[in-house]
C-alpha cells in the first residue's frame, strides 16, 4: 500500500484567506497544505493535497485515492448536495475523515445534511485549519 494520505478540498476553498474571513479565518489553503505536510512527515507519510472546484474531478480524485493510507475530505458545498461524491466514497475501503473549517451545524439548515458523514470514520468541524491536522493524527493513530 502506498504511504500517502490524500487530502481533497472542494469548491471555493482556493479562496481561503480572502473568502468570508469571519467564518473561515485568514489561514490560506497553502498554509493548510504546509501544516498537513509537516504533520504527515512526522509520521513518515507523504500527502497528496488537491483542491478542485469541479464535482466530477472530485469524484475522479476520490476514486484515485483508493490505495492511500486514508482520505481527508473537505468537499465544501458538495458535501450537502453530491450523491455522485457519496457513491464514489462508498467504493473506498480506506478510512475517510470528513473535515470542515466551520461548524456546519451552527450555520444555515441547508448545511446540516452531509452526504459524506454516513461514510466517514469521523467528522471534524468548527476547529478551523487545526481540523486537518487532527484528521491526520486520527488516520495515523488507527494504522
Ligand atoms: C465548509 C462548509 C461548507 O458548508 C461550505 O460550503 C464550504 C466550506 C467548511 O470548511 O466549513 O465551502 O466545507
Amino acid at each position: 500500500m502506498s504511504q500517502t494520505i490524500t487530502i481533497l478540498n472542494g469548491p471555493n476553498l482556493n479562496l481561503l484567506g480572502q473568502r468570508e474571513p469571519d467564518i473561515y479565518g485568514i489561514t490560506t489553503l497553502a498554509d493548510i497544505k504546509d501544516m498537513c505536510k509537516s504533520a504527515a512527515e512526522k509520521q513518515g507519510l507523504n500527502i497528496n493535497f488537491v483542491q478542485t472546484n469541479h464535482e466530477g474531478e472530485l469524484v475522479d480524485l476520490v476514486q484515485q485515492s483508493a490505495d492511500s493510507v486514508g482520505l481527508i475530505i473537505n468537499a465544501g458545498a458538495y458535501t450537502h448536495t453530491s450523491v455522485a461524491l457519496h457513491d464514489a466514497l462508498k467504493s473506498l475501503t480506506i478510512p475517510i475523515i470528513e473535515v470542515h473549517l466551520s461548524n456546519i451545524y451552527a450555520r444555515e439548515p441547508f448545511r446540516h445534511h452531509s452526504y459524506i458523514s454516513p461514510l466517514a470514520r469521523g467528522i471534524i468541524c468548527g476547529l478551523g485549519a487545526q481540523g486537518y491536522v487532527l484528521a491526520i493524527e486520527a488516520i495515523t493513530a488507527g494504522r
Side-chain angles (χ1 to χ4, degrees), residues 8-16 19-20 24 29 50-59 61 73-82 85 99-101 107 111 116 132:
L8 300 181
N9 298 280
N12 300 305
L13 292 168
N14 54 313
L15 299 178
L16 281 182
R19 173 195 184 205
E20 302 180 85
Y24 297 116
L29 198 62
V50 189
Q51 188 274 333
T52 176
N53 289 325
H54 304 280
E55 184 176 8
E57 193 179 347
L58 208 50
V59 168
L61 290 163
I73 183 162
N74 181 353
Y78 292 139
T79 305
H80 317 298
T81 61
S82 181
L85 192 55
V99 170
H100 300 282
L101 296 150
R107 300 182 62 194
R111 296 185 203 277
I116 298 174
Y132 285 75

